[in-house]
Amino acid sequence: MRYTFGHTNTAAERLKIIADFFNPLAEVIIHNSLKNIINAAADMGCGPGYTTNMVAKATHAKEVTGIDISSYFLALAKQAYPDYRFVQDDVTRLKPNRKYDFIYCRFLLSHLKHIDQVLACWLTLLNSQGVLFIDELEGIETDIPVFLKYLDTNHKLIRSQGADLYIGSKLDTII
């Protein structure tokens, strides 16, 4: 499995910008939507740990695990967030040897193929009252020319790898 934008410092900086923009709102939405106590939370495709830290704050979980395939991103995550557990693994093929109360992913499914199989795998990792929280795009409307060009480039790049930037609009037919 390969991350569309690579496993580099530039890619990590890109993920930091995304996290700085999306994390505050995601944290509030997650926190306000949870009904049960979260003991164990997982962040799928955690990258450098920015979303893992947000999940920890939002859920107040006793144990927080970030899972990613990139050893480079995981090294950054472990250095920045030593209180969390980080595991190198392929999030599309996880074994159900650990159960979670909460599983989160943001902008990960848009980079993957066979989403139905991935989600089925993740559901086996949830406790009986567990929550799978998926944060993906259905689309973006803008009239800012440079942002339109950026979106078009991303969409084409991701599509060239057999995935879909706007997977959010298809999730209701997959789940």
Side-chain angles (χ1 to χ4, degrees), residues 36-48:
N36 297 326
I37 292 173
I38 305 299
N39 290 307
D43 178 19
M44 300 298 182
C46 69

Side-chain angles (χ1 to χ4, degrees), residues 153-169:
T153 302
N154 279 353
H155 184 65
K156 288 176 181 173
L157 180 60
I158 290 170
R159 175 79 68 191
S160 75
Q161 297 179 353
D164 186 357
L165 177 63
Y166 301 113
I167 193 67
S169 64

Side-chain angles (χ1 to χ4, degrees), residues 115-133:
I115 305 302
D116 54 339
Q117 295 170 14
V118 173
L119 294 175
C121 170
W122 293 356
L123 291 174
T124 68
L125 304 174
L126 284 172
N127 288 320
S128 62
Q129 299 296 311
V131 173
L132 174 58
F133 197 103

Side-chain angles (χ1 to χ4, degrees), residues 48-84:
Y50 309 127
T51 50
T52 310
N53 187 50
M54 181 275 299
V55 165
K57 289 193 232 176
T59 65
H60 303 287
K62 294 175 186 163
E63 178 186 308
V64 180
T65 302
I67 304 168
D68 203 286
I69 201 158
S70 171
S71 58
Y72 179 73
F73 284 164
L74 291 171
L76 294 174
K78 289 174 184 178
Q79 182 178 12
Y81 307 104
D83 293 338
Y84 312 136

